[in-house]
Amino acid sequence: MSVLFVTATGTDVGKTYVSCALIRALRAAGRPIRAFKPVVSGFDPAEAGASDPGRLRAALGPDAPSLEQIAPLRFAAPLSPPLAAQMEGVTLSLDQLEALCRDQMAGDAPLLIEGAGGVMSPLTDSETNLDLIDRLGVSAILVTGSYLGTISHTLTALEVLKARGVPVAAVVMSESENAPDLAETAAGLSAFMPDIPLFTAPRDAGGWDASALARGLSF
């Protein structure tokens, strides 16, 4: 089964924006796709549609599974998952998160798994998104911003993924607010990673067309 893990250089750089655009592009091309976000924090049931899993569900279309199926672990506090879970009397474990992902990976269509925060953001008291990706043995899409300093952050994340032997299918630079020119920043980054496909995701009013990314993925 084809599985890609969408991770990032940090929090709020555009993982869900990129994931939703990719889902829409795959569906427009007639390709099946599912989405899963095992844990989310900062979740407000009153604003479920605007949440990360709510946006993923909308991108999946009318036949999408329930929000509870897309994101089974939802916590209210806008903190890292282990801290948000602790505030509700829950202790997260990597075994639990892996089992949830593997249940989804057993499905009959390609799957996007979206992490929480950056590649080195904590998922449990002692483990990170990287540990989960490593356990699952899947390839990653790395999302980064276009802000000043992003080249260093992106190359650092790529080195960490490489050290664990995680294949990177693509890097997507999601446009940041009040940032340097997107194309120029992407060109500066691409010189340091000639063997990894790099895509730019502008924040256009109509949303980013991710069809080029979709075509480039053996997925």
Side-chain angles (χ1 to χ4, degrees), residues 3-14:
V3 181
L4 286 172
F5 195 107
V6 182
T7 188
T9 55
T11 302
D12 291 332
V13 296

Side-chain angles (χ1 to χ4, degrees), residues 43 95 99 106 132 137 143:
F43 180 81
D95 287 344
L132 179 58
V143 180

Side-chain angles (χ1 to χ4, degrees), residues 16 49 66 74 90-91 108 128 167:
T16 305
S66 69
R74 304 173 306 282
V90 176
T91 299
D108 58 359
T128 67

